[in-house]
Amino acid sequence: MIMAPIGSFMALAFPVFDPFGFPHVTNFSYVIGHLALLVNSIAYLLTYYEKGNLTAKSVFLYNLSLNSFLAVVNMLLRANYGFIMDFPVIQSRQPILNIFLVTVGLSSLMLLVDNLCLRLKGDPLGIFQNKL
């Protein structure tokens, strides 16, 4: 669950729209869908998230396996899901380098989100506490 706000934020920060003219329902659903995922995942994490068995090593290995699988699928489909084949920040088209960069970046951000959620769970103002 800690990957949801990162992925949705990245999708909004580096949008890759379908090649249809604006306005089109696919562009609208892309923005609204990722925005809803971002808001709902943050609300969920701040309300229900608890420390699990996450270690830096397990997060890194999980991301490495996921990104390696994505690279194979991207090669078969000639796609760029997860920016594995064409990394927009440094304009790299080297899949091995991109897998490493995306894995390190996502793992670092996931551990940051994990740490932030656990720190904000204390919430002295009571804003994010479950009232049900």
Side-chain angles (χ1 to χ4, degrees):
M1 186 63 187
I2 61 174
M3 188 181 273
I6 298 165
S8 57
F9 176 79
M10 295 302 286
L12 291 168
F14 299 101
V16 180
F17 295 116
D18 289 330
F20 302 114
F22 184 81
H24 194 272
V25 69
T26 57
N27 297 335
F28 178 74
S29 71
Y30 180 92
V31 172
I32 297 300
H34 284 99
L35 190 58
L37 178 60
L38 178 64
V39 170
N40 287 322
S41 62
I42 290 172
Y44 178 85
L45 288 173
L46 291 177
T47 305
Y48 299 108
Y49 186 71
E50 293 180 12
K51 183 71 172 173
N53 294 327
L54 285 180
T55 64
K57 181 180 178 180
S58 67
V59 168
F60 181 81
L61 291 176
Y62 168 75
N63 277 315
L64 182 61
S65 62
L66 176 67
N67 292 329
S68 298
F69 174 75
L70 277 177
V72 172
V73 171
N74 282 337
M75 284 182 213
L76 292 174
L77 299 176
R78 296 181 186 173
N80 189 32
Y81 189 79
F83 300 124
I84 300 294
M85 305 310 286
D86 185 9
F87 196 65
V89 176
I90 61 170
Q91 301 298 315
S92 169
R93 293 179 188 259
Q94 302 296 322
I96 300 298
L97 175 64
N98 295 349
I99 290 170
F100 177 75
L101 291 173
V102 170
T103 298
V104 169
L106 276 177
S107 299
S108 300
L109 289 172
M110 286 176 70
L111 293 170
L112 177 68
V113 168
D114 176 56
N115 195 358
L116 284 173
C117 286
L118 292 174
R119 287 180 187 260
L120 290 174
K121 285 292 281 192
D123 187 23
L125 299 176
I127 296 170
F128 299 110
Q129 299 302 319
N130 188 2
K131 304 283 187 195
L132 298 176

